[in-house]
Amino acid sequence: MGDGTFFARDRGRHPPALTPDYRTSVTRAPARAPISFPPSLSEETGPVFGHDLLGPLDADLIRNFARPGHSAIGPRIFVHGRVLDETGRGVPGALIEVWQANAGGRYRHKKEGYLAPLDPDFGGCGRTISGADGSYAFRTVQPGPYPWPNGGNDWRPAHIHFSIFGSGFAQRLITQMYFEGDPMIPLCPIVRTVPTAEGIDSLTARLDMANTLPMDMRAYRFDLVLRGRRQTLFETRPEGG
Amino acid sequence: MHRDPMLKESPSQTAGPYVHIGCLPNLCGIDGVYPEDLGARMYADGVRGQKITVRGRILDGTGSVVRDALVEVWQADAEGRMPGGDPRGPADPAFAGFVRRAADPETGDWTFDTVKPGRVPWPDGRLQAPHATLWIVARGINLGLHTRMYFADEDAANDTDPVLARIEHRGRVATLLAQPEGPDAYRFDIRLQGPDETVFFDV
């Protein structure tokens, strides 16, 4: 665990629970205000995942579900960045899990019936653990947009889902990464649950030509920020047990 | 040393209906990528403490069962030590402290096996009542919901718990109590919205 307790979460930065334009939220949003309390050991600690968890292809979605000699179809991309906390420090050892549709916007999931075909060489899941400076990277194909039954003609922008474990369970976060320049971003009711333009911008990965590999794959840069820890005074530490 | 926040936390987005692809791929038939899904077991052989099974369902504001939720559980071992770096000393090595479960896609039921947690100290040193932290994400939930599961057969501890004491509307405390349901079994249903809405926390 880290050295102190967490800064309070700025809930005005996150989507409110009730966002009627995203229709499923209407019956799944708590109506009562959440009750706050200062984090205890139950919230300051969290599961620790070591690099022994990872297989050699876990961070390579182009190959981790592909048949031998095959690779996933679609625009090859390298997604990388750093996991930081709110004080600007890199967060080492953060487990990052990603999932996404294939290049045609089709998810490999029983409940998904979109007519775009599955790619037999693409599963859509990957994971990695951030390095000592909080850096992470994975390889994949750029997902396609896909339609969903919300409004009469709603389409999700191209996106990759991210799930991140920091060093404490209170940092647990799931979010989505979008792609710079996608005209679908401002139209999406899920994107628009984020209350600020700056917040939406922070979920938009930047095309990174400096790290693009010529004749191989383009790079996108996406940094994630988890809650920061305050340095607590000695007197407020939990007493021995 | 004091450090001020300079950056802002990345905003949350819903986990969506296909969260299982990334978080429980083996469960949804994406075989061969990971040997097993993350958070498959709370404990290994030789774990200390009372083994229990918890069952529950998640209900939306219309009383309908939520069939696409993902639930994560984080809790102390039987002695009240947290795995993953408890400053008081190591937890039971056979105890992971973490499981991840999906609601059944047909019935919405979810279940996990664990040991009954011991008491974890509050920052001032008082002991909290036995509890597990639950984190719930799903389609339609924009920010993961934190709640706690306590045990209805721990009256004395529950009566002095510092978190339960913060619940001003005392009738709502019952929404956090898992009910005994046979030997070593508990039921804990979660209501996202409505008259018996579960208490959720901002931690």
Side-chain angles (χ1 to χ4, degrees):
Chain A
M1 75 175 264
D3 302 323
T5 196
F6 292 103
F7 298 121
R9 183 168 250 163
D10 177 0
R11 293 178 77 92
R13 180 163 180 76
H14 293 284
L18 178 61
T19 49
D21 287 347
Y22 173 27
R23 295 181 183 178
T24 311
S25 77
V26 172
T27 56
R28 295 184 173 192
R32 310 275 197 133
I35 293 172
S36 64
F37 64 86
S40 73
L41 274 179
S42 300
E43 293 74 33
E44 291 180 10
T45 57
V48 175
F49 303 106
H51 288 266
D52 56 350
L53 176 72
L54 304 178
L57 295 179
D58 280 10
D60 185 354
L61 285 71
I62 293 175
R63 292 196 297 157
N64 69 15
F65 192 78
R67 296 165 290 176
H70 290 245
S71 60
I73 292 172
R76 293 160 59 86
I77 59 170
F78 172 74
V79 177
H80 74 116
R82 289 180 73 201
V83 182
L84 304 164
D85 75 12
E86 290 169 303
T87 70
R89 288 179 288 203
V91 179
L95 175 67
I96 301 160
E97 299 165 293
V98 296
W99 66 101
Q100 63 169 90
N102 70 22
R106 175 71 186 269
Y107 282 97
R108 186 173 289 278
H109 193 283
K110 295 183 187 78
K111 297 279 183 179
E112 152 75 291
Y114 182 34
L115 51 77
L118 287 169
D119 175 349
D121 296 306
F122 186 74
C125 62
R127 62 186 178 186
T128 189
I129 292 175
S130 63
D133 61 350
S135 62
Y136 78 91
F138 61 92
R139 294 163 27 122
T140 187
V141 293
Q142 189 167 14
Y146 78 92
W148 58 302
N150 185 66
N153 186 21
D154 281 333
W155 293 73
R156 297 302 322 283
H159 64 279
I160 299 175
H161 297 265
F162 275 69
S163 166
I164 310 104
F165 289 85
S167 57
F169 207 61
Q171 288 174 305
R172 196 77 183 82
L173 183 69
I174 282 182
T175 190
Q176 301 184 29
M177 182 198 101
Y178 305 101
F179 290 85
E180 180 179 11
D182 186 341
M184 306 302 290
I185 293 173
L187 304 180
C188 176
I190 288 177
V191 172
R192 291 199 316 241
T193 64
V194 176
T196 66
E198 189 277 324
I200 294 170
D201 189 58
S202 75
L203 297 181
T204 306
R206 295 300 191 274
L207 178 64
D208 177 10
M209 287 306 291
N211 285 295
T212 285
L213 298 173
M215 307 304 288
D216 185 345
M217 56 175 60
R218 290 177 303 147
Y220 277 88
R221 167 96 191 187
F222 183 55
D223 289 342
L224 288 148
V225 180
L226 301 180
R227 292 172 66 181
R229 286 182 190 267
R230 174 184 299 111
Q231 300 293 315
T232 49
L233 299 176
F234 180 77
E235 288 79 4
T236 63
R237 297 303 303 154
E239 293 175 9
Chain B
M1 186 179 69
H2 179 76
R3 297 279 296 253
D4 289 319
M6 307 183 301
L7 303 175
K8 293 178 176 176
E9 188 184 11
S10 298
S12 175
Q13 291 268 262
T14 180
Y18 308 128
V19 60
H20 318 92
I21 294 173
C23 293
L24 297 167
N26 289 288
L27 180 75
C28 66
I30 300 176
D31 299 319
V33 181
Y34 310 147
E36 72 172 10
D37 288 331
L38 194 77
R41 284 179 303 280
M42 183 66 93
Y43 58 79
D45 290 344
V47 72
R48 296 191 293 268
Q50 179 194 357
K51 293 175 182 170
I52 60 171
T53 298
V54 178
R55 294 185 180 81
R57 297 189 304 170
I58 299 172
L59 305 166
D60 72 11
T62 71
S64 301
V65 175
V66 175
R67 297 178 174 84
D68 52 12
L70 183 84
V71 184
E72 292 182 350
V73 182
W74 176 240
Q75 66 162 80
D77 70 9
E79 279 85 47
R81 298 277 176 99
M82 301 303 299
D86 193 314
R88 300 165 299 158
D92 182 344
F95 186 73
F98 174 76
V99 291
R100 174 184 269 176
R101 290 287 182 276
D104 183 277
E106 306 306 323
T107 66
D109 294 330
W110 70 283
T111 184
F112 66 104
D113 294 328
T114 188
V115 299
K116 200 166 183 185
R119 300 181 71 173
V120 175
W122 190 242
D124 64 8
R126 282 182 291 162
L127 289 176
Q128 303 180 70
H131 66 274
T133 296
L134 272 57
W135 191 69
I136 301 141
V137 294
R139 177 173 65 102
I141 295 175
N142 290 324
L143 174 64
L145 296 169
H146 271 271
T147 189
R148 282 183 167 197
M149 179 183 75
Y150 289 82
F151 298 89
D153 51 7
E154 295 282 350
D155 284 339
N158 291 340
D159 285 348
T160 59
D161 183 80
V163 170
L164 294 179
R166 287 185 175 241
I167 301 172
E168 182 183 350
H169 299 100
R170 300 308 296 164
R172 301 193 69 207
V173 170
T175 69
L176 300 183
L177 303 182
Q179 298 295 328
E181 190 182 64
D184 304 320
Y186 291 86
R187 166 159 289 275
F188 188 63
D189 290 334
I190 294 165
R191 290 172 177 81
L192 299 178
Q193 184 192 83
D196 299 320
E197 185 173 306
T198 298
V199 172
F200 298 105
F201 294 106
D202 177 20
V203 297

